[in-house]
Amino acid sequence: QVQLVESGGGLVQAGDSLRLSCAASGRTFNSYAMAMAWFRQPPGKEREFVAAINWNGVHTYGRESVEGRFTISRDNAKNTVYLQMSSLKPEDTAVYYCAAARGLLPITTGEYSHWGQGTQVTVSS
């Protein structure tokens, strides 16, 4: 099994920064074999891809709307992936989910088999 636990969400104002963390654990979790990603689900909308990172952190990919504002990174020694968010906007308000999958750099929800419970990020204007 793989367990993913997100933390770091909260209520912030537009323009602020926030860092989300996702701690991974479990008998079958192997940092060196799994891509990690962040997805989000805005109120009343479907879950959407935010950013992904390959197993060694060399390759990353993010949705266009967060390019230059969000940075995904990972520390395999700590089995943790991060999402550094800056210049936050009200439209970034969502529940943010961490996900893990085998593969190079999956970007769709269907490609991820392990999910966290989510952490709420609310950006006020």
Side-chain angles (χ1 to χ4, degrees):
Q1 287 86 357
V2 174
Q3 290 82 43
L4 303 174
V5 179
E6 302 96 335
S7 62
L11 172 63
V12 297
Q13 293 186 334
D16 284 351
S17 298
L18 206 58
R19 189 177 81 158
L20 305 182
S21 300
C22 172
S25 62
R27 185 173 58 85
T28 59
F29 182 78
N30 181 356
S31 285
Y32 299 96
M34 305 189 83
M36 304 289 292
W38 288 94
F39 289 78
R40 67 186 182 187
Q41 188 162 12
K45 297 183 179 180
E46 294 186 351
R47 195 170 299 188
E48 62 186 24
F49 169 78
V50 176
I53 187 167
N54 80 317
W55 72 272
N56 63 2
V58 170
H59 301 289
T60 63
Y61 182 76
R63 68 183 295 112
E64 185 175 354
S65 63
V66 305
E67 283 290 323
R69 300 190 299 122
F70 291 11
T71 302
I72 188 170
S73 62
R74 67 189 295 166
D75 184 340
N76 285 348
K78 297 180 179 180
N79 285 346
T80 301
V81 64
Y82 305 96
L83 185 68
Q84 178 67 49
M85 305 184 293
S86 61
S87 301
L88 282 161
K89 304 176 181 180
E91 51 263 44
D92 294 318
T93 294
V95 178
Y96 283 71
Y97 296 91
C98 174
R102 295 187 182 275
L104 180 59
L105 204 61
I107 64 170
T108 65
T109 55
E111 295 175 281
Y112 283 85
S113 51
H114 306 288
W115 294 86
Q117 293 300 306
T119 185
Q120 176 71 47
V121 173
T122 302
V123 185
S124 64
S125 58

